[in-house]
């Protein structure tokens, strides 16, 4: 039998306890009077939609969290999925700017994509337009130096052992830093969208010099996607 759904008061108390806030601190952060919050926490008052929206925006939480949170830990479904990442079984994609090795391709409907990348492009003119795709990504530099360009920030230089985490919807480009012929990174792209792999491959052509072995679990065929992007970038490189 499922436990009763927690009240809004219980949800707010749990939220405040998780963050270690006093009622006064939560009031200051949310802009809602202490007396109101106290009454809500003791289930003597509820909040209007406008106040709930204010609470979620000020505290930087999704509105759904105010209704979906449970006072009991959710039972986690164990799928026992596992995949060993091997370069010889990776989907290899070669472009003028990068060599990509997409790992663990036998698992379908992944929410994160592990990638080893060799970076060759040395300038934005050579790279072309900044790329964008859904989700977020984390990049760690294994070898060389990487110059990271993003839509809303100044370029940043990353050396071996340094990393960056970005919103992938923001335009971005990874370049080999000045004085570095090429750099190698390992990264993870994640998204709630199930077709993330197709979206990533759609950013570049798939001139694969090392296609993968047949997938055990049937991930979609990843080869024939949008060659015109690659052709356009090759044309830019030829004109440079």
């Amino acid at each position: 039998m499922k436990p009763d759904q927690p009240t809004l008061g219980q949800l707010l108390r749990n939220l405040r306890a998780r963050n270690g806030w006093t009622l006064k601190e939560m009031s200051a952060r949310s802009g809602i009077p202490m007396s109101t919050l106290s009454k809500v926490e003791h289930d003597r008052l509820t909040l209007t939609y406008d106040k709930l929206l204010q609470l979620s925006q000020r505290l930087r939480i999704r509105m759904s969290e105010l209704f979906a949170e449970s006072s009991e830990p959710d039972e986690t479904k164990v799928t026992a999925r596992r995949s060993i990442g091997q370069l010889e079984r990776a989907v290899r994609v070669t472009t003028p700017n990068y060599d990509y090795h997409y790992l663990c391709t036998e698992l379908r409907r992944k929410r994160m994509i592990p990638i080893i990348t060799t970076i060759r492009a040395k300038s934005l003119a050579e790279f072309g337009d900044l790329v964008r795709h859904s989700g977020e990504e984390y990049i760690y530099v294994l070898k060389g130096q990487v110059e990271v360009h993003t839509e809303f920030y100044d370029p940043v230089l990353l050396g071996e052992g340094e990393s960056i985490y970005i919103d992938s919807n923001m335009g971005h480009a990874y370049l080999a830093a000045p004085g570095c012929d090429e750099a190698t990174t390992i990264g993870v792209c994640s998204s709630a969208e199930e077709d993330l792999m197709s979206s990533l491959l759609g950013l570049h052509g798939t001139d694969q010099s090392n296609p993968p072995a047949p997938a055990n679990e049937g991930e979609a065929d990843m080869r024939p996607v949008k060659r015109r992007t690659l052709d356009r970038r090759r044309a830019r490189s030829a004109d440079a």
Side-chain angles (χ1 to χ4, degrees), residues 132-147:
R132 298 172 178 80
H133 54 88
S134 66
E136 299 176 324
E137 61 193 81
Y138 171 80
I139 302 296
Y140 179 93
V141 181
L142 295 172
K143 181 181 178 182
Q145 286 187 312
V146 177
E147 188 175 278

Side-chain angles (χ1 to χ4, degrees), residues 93-100 118-122 126-127 181-182 203-207 227 229-238:
V93 177
T94 299
T95 78
N97 295 326
Y98 299 116
D99 281 344
Y100 298 91
T118 300
I119 302 170
R120 288 187 297 272
K122 297 179 176 61
E126 183 180 354
F127 182 88
D181 287 337
E182 63 180 31
L203 297 174
H204 44 250
T206 51
D207 181 12
R227 293 194 56 83
T229 304
L230 177 59
D231 294 338
R232 186 170 61 250
R233 287 180 180 167
R234 281 175 172 163
R236 287 198 186 100
S237 299

Side-chain angles (χ1 to χ4, degrees), residues 11-12 18 36 43 45 47-48 50 68 74 96-97 99 102 110 114 144 149 156 163 180 188 199 216 218 224 234:
L11 296 177
L12 290 187
R18 284 204 311 269
T36 300
D43 297 322
L45 184 70
L47 294 176
T48 64
D50 288 344
D74 292 335
N97 295 326
D99 281 344
Y102 291 97
K110 295 192 294 293
H149 291 257
V156 61
S163 59
C180 180
V188 174
S199 297
N216 294 333
R234 281 175 172 163

Side-chain angles (χ1 to χ4, degrees), residues 4 14-15 26 30 44 63-64 80 85 89-90 95 99 108 115 123 140 150 153 164 171 191-192 202 217 224-225:
D4 294 336
N14 291 343
L15 175 64
M26 191 169 188
S30 65
R44 295 199 298 268
M63 178 81 82
S64 60
R89 291 184 58 84
T95 78
D99 281 344
R108 60 181 178 178
I115 313 167
S123 69
Y140 179 93
T150 51
Y153 297 90
I164 190 168
S191 174
E217 202 180 323
V225 290

